[in-house]
Amino acid sequence: MEMKTEKIVRRVNELFHDFTNKEYEEMTHRDMLKKERLRWEKAKKYLEKNKSIRILDIGSGAGFVPLTIANVFKERDVFICSDVSKIMLNTTKNNIKKEKFKCKFRYVKLNSEQFPFKDESVDLITTNSVLHHVHNTKNFLYEIDRILKKDGILIIGHEPNIRFAENKILIYINHLLSLIFTPKEELKFVSVRLGIFDILDKLSGFINLKRKRIVSEREKLAEKISEILKRENLIKDNLSIGEIMSLVDYKTVGFDPFNLIPRYWVLYIETYHHLRGFEYNKEKFLRKYSESLKEKYPLDGRTFFVILKKP
């Protein structure tokens, strides 16, 4: 059963990103990723080496990580982009072709939980917004440890932080502010947790024509994915869009960035989103309040970015 769940999670993620690759690519250009890009820019000082190196980006998506950091690397270096979705990997390839990077690029589709690379064959591994999509994170991190060289660098960005989920003060503040400033988003958040998102989504479609179109598109997407999964004998009954999204964002409670892989040294860590996205709000009060919470709870932001070194 565990193995089948793992296959379903992987296949749903692959199909979902195959079908939504255009929307995903558009998302990489939104303002909210400007700060994310700055974090990866800061990380460049940990990347340059005197010798030739191999870099592996896991879950390249539309190419966010390589497009941000590849200008650091030289002609002697090899940058490997990988993803479970072949279509997303082609998107990465096309986006990289538009740039003038010096390093060589390779593109590898990931077909299983075991990575197709030899032991201790990679100098640097990067991954952004990937870990929470994975069913067996223990095996995922084991594979990273297996292929990363001694003294190698691992950078994990944009992942949910367990410390935020455990900070009752931050949770209370976020729900209160969300209820005041973005009640629709709060209702969406609560409905997902209660498992009634699909019902409310359909009801909103009766009131709002634009929402009705979005709901219809989502239902068609769920049907397409379900039909493929049934043909492959992975499921018997159709999945709703809510069930599919819960498989895409499989682990949202969070991870402990200090204990992802035992023994690894933390070279740099930053946590952010103390107000769950209000950092991008036009209200100065919310931005300032977010900064004050970050000062008070520097390690408890909802999202973390961490740079680790293998001893």
Side-chain angles (χ1 to χ4, degrees):
M1 185 64 184
E2 186 75 7
M3 184 64 72
K4 187 173 182 179
T5 303
E6 186 175 308
K7 287 182 179 179
I8 292 172
V9 172
R10 171 176 284 274
R11 190 65 172 127
V12 166
N13 270 276
E14 180 181 1
L15 293 170
F16 179 82
H17 290 99
D18 278 349
F19 290 131
T20 63
N21 70 93
K22 290 183 180 179
E23 293 90 334
Y24 196 87
E25 186 176 11
E26 289 172 4
M27 186 182 73
T28 62
H29 300 293
R30 289 180 186 171
D31 290 341
M32 67 179 293
L33 282 182
K34 287 181 180 178
K35 289 186 178 179
E36 203 68 47
R37 204 166 271 114
L38 288 174
R39 290 183 187 95
W40 283 91
E41 289 282 350
K42 287 180 187 176
K44 286 182 179 180
K45 65 180 180 180
Y46 297 97
L47 309 183
E48 293 183 280
K49 304 270 185 179
N50 293 324
K51 60 179 182 177
S52 61
I53 66 169
R54 294 180 85 212
I55 309 101
L56 170 64
D57 182 50
I58 303 172
S60 295
F64 170 75
V65 173
L67 290 170
T68 304
I69 67 172
N71 58 355
V72 169
F73 305 110
K74 309 294 188 294
E75 292 179 3
R76 63 188 181 222
D77 301 324
V78 177
F79 202 124
I80 305 166
C81 301
S82 65
D83 205 287
V84 296
S85 168
K86 186 176 181 180
I87 293 177
M88 290 304 301
L89 203 56
N90 286 334
T91 300
T92 299
K93 188 174 183 178
N94 291 333
N95 287 337
I96 286 173
K97 279 183 178 179
K98 298 173 187 176
E99 305 298 326
K100 296 181 179 179
F101 297 124
K102 294 180 180 179
C103 61
K104 304 176 188 70
F105 282 92
R106 284 181 54 204
Y107 302 91
V108 176
K109 185 180 183 304
L110 301 176
N111 294 313
S112 70
E113 289 290 315
Q114 187 170 7
F115 299 149
F117 306 103
K118 295 179 181 179
D119 294 359
E120 298 186 355
S121 60
V122 179
D123 301 272
L124 167 67
I125 295 177
T126 60
T127 178
N128 191 74
S129 193
V130 171
L131 200 57
H132 62 279
H133 296 296
V134 177
H135 172 260
N136 192 338
T137 51
K138 184 178 181 180
N139 183 72
F140 182 85
L141 293 169
Y142 169 82
E143 281 294 287
I144 284 177
D145 182 53
R146 178 182 66 79
I147 65 177
L148 188 62
K149 292 180 182 179
K150 182 182 178 182
D151 295 325
I153 299 295
L154 167 62
I155 306 179
I156 298 177
H158 203 76
E159 292 295 347
N161 183 11
I162 190 67
R163 293 176 65 114
F164 176 86
E166 293 172 347
N167 190 318
K168 297 187 185 306
I169 294 174
L170 286 178
I171 293 295
Y172 174 78
I173 290 171
N174 271 273
H175 281 303
L176 181 61
L177 289 175
S178 184
L179 193 61
I180 295 171
F181 291 98
T182 56
K184 288 183 180 179
E185 287 299 312
E186 181 63 14
L187 181 61
K188 177 182 175 182
F189 180 84
V190 173
S191 67
V192 169
R193 288 298 177 92
L194 294 176
I196 58 172
F197 173 74
D198 291 313
I199 298 171
L200 292 181
D201 209 25
K202 287 181 180 180
L203 288 174
S204 66
F206 290 113
I207 303 170
N208 187 312
L209 290 177
K210 183 180 179 181
R211 191 69 189 172
K212 185 177 182 179
R213 187 175 69 253
I214 293 172
V215 171
S216 176
E217 290 173 355
R218 283 179 172 177
E219 288 177 341
K220 289 177 183 177
L221 174 62
E223 287 177 10
K224 283 198 292 185
I225 292 175
S226 292
E227 284 304 313
I228 294 172
L229 294 176
K230 285 194 291 187
R231 285 202 302 269
E232 295 173 352
N233 294 317
L234 289 173
I235 62 171
K236 292 182 178 179
D237 301 314
N238 278 15
L239 298 175
S240 68
I241 190 62
E243 289 171 323
I244 286 172
M245 292 311 300
S246 69
L247 291 169
V248 171
D249 288 325
Y250 194 68
K251 294 183 178 178
T252 55
V253 175
F255 308 93
D256 181 352
F258 291 96
N259 292 294
L260 290 168
I261 306 180
R263 313 182 327 274
Y264 277 43
W265 303 329
V266 176
L267 300 181
Y268 175 84
I269 185 168
E270 180 183 354
T271 76
Y272 47 104
H273 290 162
H274 288 70
L275 285 184
R276 213 168 66 195
F278 282 115
E279 290 85 350
Y280 311 109
N281 197 289
K282 294 180 181 179
E283 295 284 344
K284 289 183 179 179
F285 158 73
L286 290 173
R287 291 203 301 271
K288 287 183 178 180
Y289 190 38
S290 175
E291 288 301 317
S292 69
L293 288 174
K294 188 170 184 175
E295 289 179 13
K296 190 171 183 179
Y297 306 103
L299 298 177
D300 291 6
R302 186 184 183 219
T303 316
F304 69 81
F305 177 93
V306 66
I307 302 176
L308 304 168
K309 183 174 181 179
K310 181 177 180 178

